[in-house]
Amino acid sequence: GESVGLHLPTLSVQEGDNSIINCAYSNSASDYFIWYKQESGKGPQFIIDIRSNMDKRQGQRVTVLLNKTVKHLSLQIAATQPGDSAVYFCAERPDQNFVFGPGTRLSVLP
Amino acid sequence: DAGVIQSPRHEVTEMGQEVTLRCKPISGHNSLFWYRQTMMRGLELLIYFNNNVPIDDSGMPEDRFSAKMPNASFSTLKIQPSEPRDSAVYFCADATSGNTIYFGEGSWLTVV
């Protein structure tokens, strides 16, 4: 039957704990990957990126890991805060275009 | 830099009316993208331009949709005539070659 809408995976995390959001990408030709954060009522906001010649990149409180063997990308958020509550998207670039995943909703519990 | 600027931020229109969404990209960014976001389908690419030239419009739903980029600092997405199923958030985004794309805050369209 027809789905009524995207059912976003939800990750609930206690404030102060670390969060890990996962993403499986589809195209082995993708050479560039980005994580975006989208808060309610706003546009997707760049968090961190990684190129295919790397397997790890760190930012402020965030780390992106890339496993090209299994086409897997993850975003780690250290010491999760209430302001981290949002939908997180991964994006891959197989050509001149970017392809976005469906997103994961992160809910931070007090 | 003010980032990607979109207008209007919100629009409610009646079915059959023409809708024009506008985008001002970041100065110096040579690629521009129009995306549509809905609960049903997530974030979908409609069309993208490189150096003001449309490169891929395969995501444009049908002939009712058209997009233009007359110069490097302005783009429009037009829907004529609009239908209720066009209700969505429309994002404009831009990038420099090979680099991160930056999104505007979106135009929230409701067609009744």
Side-chain angles (χ1 to χ4, degrees):
Chain A
E2 196 175 80
S3 65
V4 294
L6 281 179
H7 176 67
L8 288 182
T10 298
L11 175 66
S12 295
V13 175
Q14 209 71 38
E15 182 179 351
D17 286 352
N18 297 335
S19 304
I20 300 176
I21 301 171
N22 296 304
C23 177
Y25 65 93
S26 56
N27 198 320
S28 55
S30 293
D31 64 350
Y32 182 50
F33 306 85
I34 307 176
W35 279 101
Y36 286 90
K37 172 187 181 184
Q38 187 176 23
E39 296 175 279
S40 182
K42 296 188 175 181
Q45 182 182 17
F46 171 86
I47 302 174
I48 191 168
D49 59 359
I50 188 168
R51 299 196 184 272
S52 59
N53 60 352
M54 302 172 71
D55 53 23
K56 179 178 179 179
R57 189 153 189 244
Q58 288 186 288
Q60 189 179 14
R61 277 202 312 121
V62 295
T63 301
V64 55
L65 298 177
L66 174 63
N67 185 330
K68 294 182 288 293
T69 303
V70 295
K71 292 190 284 190
H72 184 265
L73 199 62
S74 68
L75 177 71
Q76 300 177 2
I77 304 173
T80 312
Q81 301 168 0
D84 295 327
S85 293
V87 176
Y88 290 80
F89 294 94
C90 66
E92 62 175 308
R93 190 185 64 186
D95 44 45
Q96 293 188 65
N97 256 334
F98 285 85
V99 177
F100 286 81
T104 296
R105 185 177 303 281
L106 177 64
S107 178
V108 182
L109 307 173
Chain B
D1 199 324
V4 178
I5 299 173
Q6 292 187 244
S7 64
R9 286 297 316 278
H10 298 271
E11 179 152 345
V12 180
T13 191
E14 290 186 343
M15 180 174 147
Q17 296 298 305
E18 178 179 293
V19 172
T20 300
L21 308 178
R22 297 173 180 80
C23 175
K24 182 181 188 311
I26 297 170
S27 178
H29 286 196
N30 60 342
S31 296
L32 184 138
F33 307 80
W34 281 101
Y35 286 89
R36 177 172 68 176
Q37 187 176 42
T38 61
M39 286 297 294
M40 283 288 292
R41 303 162 81 102
L43 204 55
E44 302 174 278
L45 178 67
L46 300 177
I47 184 171
Y48 82 93
F49 297 83
N50 200 40
N51 294 320
N52 313 338
V53 176
I55 302 300
D56 182 357
D57 66 353
S58 58
M60 296 286 262
E62 49 199 88
D63 291 346
R64 297 184 299 106
F65 285 68
S66 63
K68 293 183 180 178
M69 192 166 185
N71 57 63
S73 58
F74 185 65
S75 178
T76 59
L77 177 67
K78 189 173 290 188
I79 309 172
Q80 166 64 16
S82 58
E83 297 182 3
R85 61 190 167 125
D86 302 330
S87 298
V89 186
Y90 291 82
F91 288 105
C92 178
D94 73 3
T96 54
S97 296
N99 289 315
T100 307
I101 60 173
Y102 294 93
F103 285 82
E105 293 288 35
S107 291
W108 300 70
L109 174 66
T110 302
V111 183
V112 298

